[in-house]
Amino acid sequence: MIELSNIKKAFNQGQPNEYWALHGIDLALEAGKVTAFRGPSGSGKTTLLTIVGCLSRPTSGRVRFKGEDISGLPERFLTDIRRQSFGFVFQQFNLIKGLSALENVILPAFPTGRPRHELVTAAEGIFDQLKLGHRSTAKVEWLSGGEQQRVAIARALINDPEVIIADEPTANLDTALSKEFMSILEGFTATGKTVLLTSHDPLVVDSTAVHRVVGMRDGRLTED
Amino acid sequence: MNPWLEKQRHLIDFTLASLGRRKTKNIGLLLAYTLLVFVLASLTLFTHALRSEASFVLAGSPEVILQRMVAGRHDLIPPNYIEKIGRIRGVQKKEGRLWGYYYDTVLNANYTFMARSADEVADGYIMVGNALARERGLAAHNTISFRSYSGKLFTFEVSAVLSPDSELLSADLVLLSENDFRRFFEYPAGHFTDIALSVANPQEVRNIAAKLSSALPDSRPILREEVLRTYQSVFDWREGIVLTVLAGAILAFAILAWEKASGLSAEEKREIGILKAIGWETGDVIRMKTWEGLLISLSAFLLGFIAAYVHVFHFDAAVFEPVLKGWSVLYPRFTLVPTVDGLQIATLFFFTVFPYTAAVLVPIWRAAITDPDAVMRA
Ligand SMILES: Nc1ncnc2c1ncn2[C@@H]1O[C@H](COP(=O)(O)OP(=O)(O)OP(=O)(O)O)[C@@H](O)[C@H]1O
Ligand SMILES: [Mg+2]
């Protein structure tokens, strides 16, 4: 589904503080599976996910998504792909304060121009699945950490993407909530979604919900 | 519904929610902005209304008015003076006018009494200006008495209240017949206050004035175009003073807008990053912020303009009156007839809404074109 060939990424290229975060990554990721990236801090996991999720471009190398080379596409098209095909769950949740849970969830669908009532119905459906229905009108800053994360997950699902990308999804959760997150993940694979996540947490990496673990160190893949 | 429209609706919804989230900041901004528009709009509405009043007054006034001077002071026109002018080429009509001021102790105000021909106002009747009628509670067929300067009481019946086309012109006016005028003021028979001459061709006015001065060396011709120019320069000068004072306010607002613009808060930057990461295009973010800028500046413009309109035309520009209306102390009180000039609104609009929206958009645009991967690293 996603093929990376010889991906390199430099920050501040050509400047004295030039830094190569990725040194040539070759990787094929299967559809419908949960893949976890594991590695020490600074090994390039987040950087790799931003490239796969069309949040940034590789300095060199190719990214193929469903057989199509997307590394050279202009920003507009990358944004379209990102919106349609990728849903993000960030470590800090990155919800917009002052808005209700429901408002936050339907935000990614605004550029599609789908009518509001349709979006609200879809969001309510997702809330019910995530047992969050009773909190939909609450402002996000009043929600607990676990509730905030479920709002972030709901937001990642609103455009019905094929791929869910989650960077350190359990870093801010306790054991019980982390386990709950993993069971939500299993639900995703059941509906055929592809999941990419990074984690230091053995509870995540060793979970039966994870099909494949990819190790990273110093911007390179390690055998695992 | 059309997806494009839906999308704009979503963006506006989000904008409204955003504005609500930063209430104090946005209300403060809106107030400052509204105040600025209010002051600028009051000024332009007021000076424009005064200008059109003035040109209205002057449009109805004769091209040349001839006054007789004695020892450098305005004096009555003696009998046969008009005949002495003789025939001057280009002068269509010349007539002696009778007018004067009357101080009304009831209102502590000066009225202008002016004589009209018998077919306009019959003996025993008067026509009164709008403001005067309002202040003294007069309507057609009422009677009113004035005590003349010699102490005699005169009673008149009001035949009509003058139309308020131009209140500055007619506010304090009392029209009466020539006979009544002469009796009321004990005006010497055959004398006039001044002479009005109408000239068809504006090119000839200066020539005619020169001929008048040489034919009647003790007279002073007053040209309408000169009065107009004096008025204009007085208006411009006063507008200039107010604008100078306002420059401070405009500057303060510019700083405010600039600060709001360049000081895009970390929170706002983060939000732009989030929106981009979850699938908003740079253009969507900019459109949303454009709506925000437009909503603020349009509502400030509307509020400020409406407040200014009410201020100028219903409260007689109470705030500016002392500065702007100084020369018209003669008139007891008048309400300006509402006139609004499209070009003026457009100018005001352009100089308030446009710079603000632009000032807001530049930094937004800079924040919006950056790569969204930063949100992954909080
Ligand atoms: N914008 C940037 N400018 C310069 N260097 C950067 C930038 N973003 C990341 N880096 C560097 O790239 C390297 C890889 O970062 P990355 O965030 O991908 O690591 P990570 O594996 O996700 O680490 P962690 O487990 O701590 O999240 C790090 O050394 C980081 O300092
Ligand atoms: Mg990371």
Side-chain angles (χ1 to χ4, degrees):
Chain A
M1 162 153 229
I2 299 163
E3 290 148 60
L4 307 175
S5 49
N6 199 21
I7 296 293
K8 293 184 181 170
K9 176 74 178 179
F11 290 107
N12 311 315
Q13 197 180 16
Q15 286 165 38
N17 57 346
E18 177 176 298
Y19 182 84
W20 288 87
L22 298 175
H23 292 278
I25 303 279
D26 293 290
L27 186 66
L29 296 165
E30 246 183 290
K33 294 279 154 68
V34 178
T35 306
F37 292 86
R38 180 175 61 186
S41 189
S43 56
K45 304 181 294 292
T46 300
T47 307
L48 190 63
L49 284 192
T50 62
I51 290 172
V52 172
C54 302
L55 284 172
S56 66
R57 292 163 204 271
T59 308
S60 70
R62 290 181 178 287
V63 182
R64 291 176 160 280
F65 179 64
K66 294 198 287 187
E68 193 194 350
D69 186 350
I70 58 170
S71 27
L73 290 178
E75 197 216 289
R76 265 188 67 103
F77 293 92
L78 279 186
T79 308
D80 282 344
I81 295 174
R82 180 162 78 237
R83 181 172 55 237
Q84 285 163 22
S85 309
F86 295 95
F88 295 88
V89 180
F90 305 100
Q91 176 180 344
Q92 306 293 338
F93 310 142
N94 281 336
L95 299 173
I96 296 202
K97 287 200 195 83
L99 295 184
S100 70
L102 187 97
E103 290 293 335
N104 262 285
V105 168
I106 62 180
L107 271 183
F110 281 5
T112 63
R114 274 166 73 192
R116 192 182 166 86
H117 61 89
E118 215 177 292
L119 296 178
V120 170
T121 316
E124 279 165 354
I126 300 171
F127 275 148
D128 286 342
Q129 280 172 39
L130 296 175
K131 302 189 192 67
L132 210 61
H134 60 296
R135 301 301 276 151
S136 69
T137 56
K139 294 227 160 95
V140 288
E141 58 265 40
W142 306 123
L143 300 179
S144 72
E147 286 169 337
Q148 289 192 22
Q149 191 189 42
R150 279 178 285 156
V151 174
I153 296 171
R155 183 178 65 183
L157 294 174
I158 189 74
N159 285 334
D160 195 22
E162 292 139 274
V163 186
I164 304 284
I165 291 182
D167 193 23
E168 309 278 357
T170 60
N172 287 320
L173 302 181
D174 63 19
T175 310
L177 287 171
S178 299
K179 282 190 173 142
E180 199 179 310
F181 175 77
M182 295 317 289
S183 69
I184 293 172
L185 271 196
E186 294 197 272
F188 290 167
T189 31
T191 57
K193 294 199 190 301
T194 308
V195 179
L196 308 179
L197 54 85
T198 68
S199 190
H200 295 286
D201 187 352
L203 193 139
V204 173
V205 184
D206 302 337
S207 155
T208 52
V210 174
H211 302 108
R212 181 179 174 196
V213 176
V214 177
M216 288 185 75
R217 181 174 290 274
D218 300 330
R220 293 193 171 82
L221 299 186
T222 56
E223 284 320 306
D224 221 305
Chain B
M1 210 202 239
N2 175 332
W4 185 87
L5 278 180
E6 274 297 338
K7 188 164 148 178
Q8 301 306 314
R9 252 187 66 186
H10 288 317
L11 294 181
I12 294 173
D13 280 350
F14 181 74
T15 304
L16 288 175
S18 296
L19 289 175
R21 285 184 298 140
R22 290 184 258 275
K23 238 183 241 124
T24 33
K25 182 182 166 192
N26 286 313
I27 288 177
L29 187 72
L30 187 72
L31 283 183
Y33 201 156
T34 304
L35 189 71
L36 180 84
V37 175
F38 167 76
V39 173
L40 286 176
S42 291
L43 183 71
T44 45
L45 283 175
F46 187 75
T47 49
H48 179 71
L50 276 185
R51 277 209 182 89
S52 61
E53 290 278 346
S55 56
F56 206 95
V57 172
L58 292 170
S61 82
E63 282 79 9
V64 182
I65 290 171
L66 198 69
Q67 292 180 340
R68 195 170 81 101
M69 309 301 287
V70 170
R73 289 184 57 90
H74 181 191
D75 201 42
L76 301 190
I77 304 276
N80 303 324
Y81 203 77
I82 301 182
E83 285 68 44
K84 270 208 265 177
I85 296 175
R87 282 182 60 85
I88 297 180
R89 258 170 50 106
V91 175
Q92 284 186 315
K93 211 173 87 185
K94 46 182 199 272
E95 63 174 340
R97 302 195 307 174
L98 281 170
W99 58 271
Y101 297 126
Y102 172 76
Y103 183 74
D104 181 8
T105 45
V106 177
L107 290 182
N108 291 329
N110 268 308
Y111 304 155
T112 306
F113 274 51
M114 198 173 233
R116 279 292 151 97
S117 63
D119 52 315
E120 275 183 79
V121 190
D123 288 356
Y125 288 90
I126 54 172
M127 292 203 239
V128 296
N130 205 256
L132 196 158
R134 192 168 55 226
E135 297 294 326
R136 295 284 307 245
L138 290 176
H141 309 307
N142 292 162
T143 55
I144 182 170
S145 300
F146 295 115
R147 187 171 296 279
S148 79
Y149 288 128
S150 57
K152 282 186 235 146
L153 205 62
F154 286 77
T155 304
F156 299 101
E157 182 178 333
V158 176
S159 64
V161 174
L162 296 168
S163 90
D165 270 354
S166 167
E167 278 211 8
L168 188 59
L169 174 69
S170 62
D172 65 336
L173 199 59
V174 175
L175 298 180
L176 67 177
S177 74
E178 185 176 334
N179 290 334
D180 284 341
F181 185 91
R182 288 188 189 279
R183 258 183 287 139
F184 188 77
F185 287 111
E186 297 181 354
Y187 220 79
H191 286 69
F192 290 96
T193 313
D194 54 23
I195 301 171
L197 298 108
S198 24
V199 178
N201 183 355
Q203 316 261 299
E204 286 181 86
V205 168
R206 293 201 161 266
N207 255 332
I208 289 168
K211 281 183 197 164
L212 286 171
S213 299
S214 60
L216 304 164
D218 62 343
S219 75
R220 175 175 71 178
I222 298 168
L223 308 187
R224 185 172 72 182
E225 53 178 68
E226 266 171 13
V227 177
L228 192 71
R229 205 168 309 128
T230 310
Y231 268 30
Q232 291 293 359
S233 62
V234 170
F235 281 121
D236 289 347
W237 180 67
R238 286 179 188 270
E239 202 175 22
I241 292 181
V242 178
L243 273 178
T244 314
V245 175
L246 271 184
I250 296 171
L251 194 71
F253 179 73
I255 293 168
L256 185 84
W258 179 251
E259 198 221 48
K260 146 119 184 153
S262 52
L264 196 58
S265 69
E267 180 69 15
E268 276 175 291
K269 275 188 197 148
R270 195 182 81 100
E271 283 182 16
I272 291 175
I274 295 174
L275 291 174
K276 284 198 73 179
I278 62 177
W280 285 39
E281 271 169 39
T282 307
D284 296 328
V285 174
I286 292 174
R287 267 187 287 276
M288 184 268 287
K289 289 289 176 181
T290 312
W291 281 119
E292 188 178 312
L294 279 178
L295 281 175
I296 289 191
S297 48
L298 283 179
S299 25
F301 187 82
L302 269 180
L303 287 175
F305 196 84
I306 291 170
Y309 189 94
V310 172
H311 168 227
V312 170
F313 297 121
H314 293 274
F315 292 99
D316 303 333
V319 178
F320 298 145
E321 210 172 49
V323 195
L324 284 171
K325 229 158 64 179
W327 69 88
S328 61
V329 283
L330 218 57
Y331 300 99
R333 212 167 139 193
F334 66 92
T335 309
L336 289 167
V337 176
T339 48
V340 174
D341 178 31
L343 182 71
Q344 241 168 352
I345 300 181
T347 313
L348 193 63
F349 186 83
F350 186 79
F351 281 105
T352 50
V353 172
F354 181 75
Y356 176 76
T357 312
V360 167
L361 280 183
V362 171
I364 295 292
W365 174 77
R366 265 188 307 191
I369 54 168
T370 52
D371 271 346
D373 61 336
V375 293
M376 288 283 250
R377 309 167 203 280

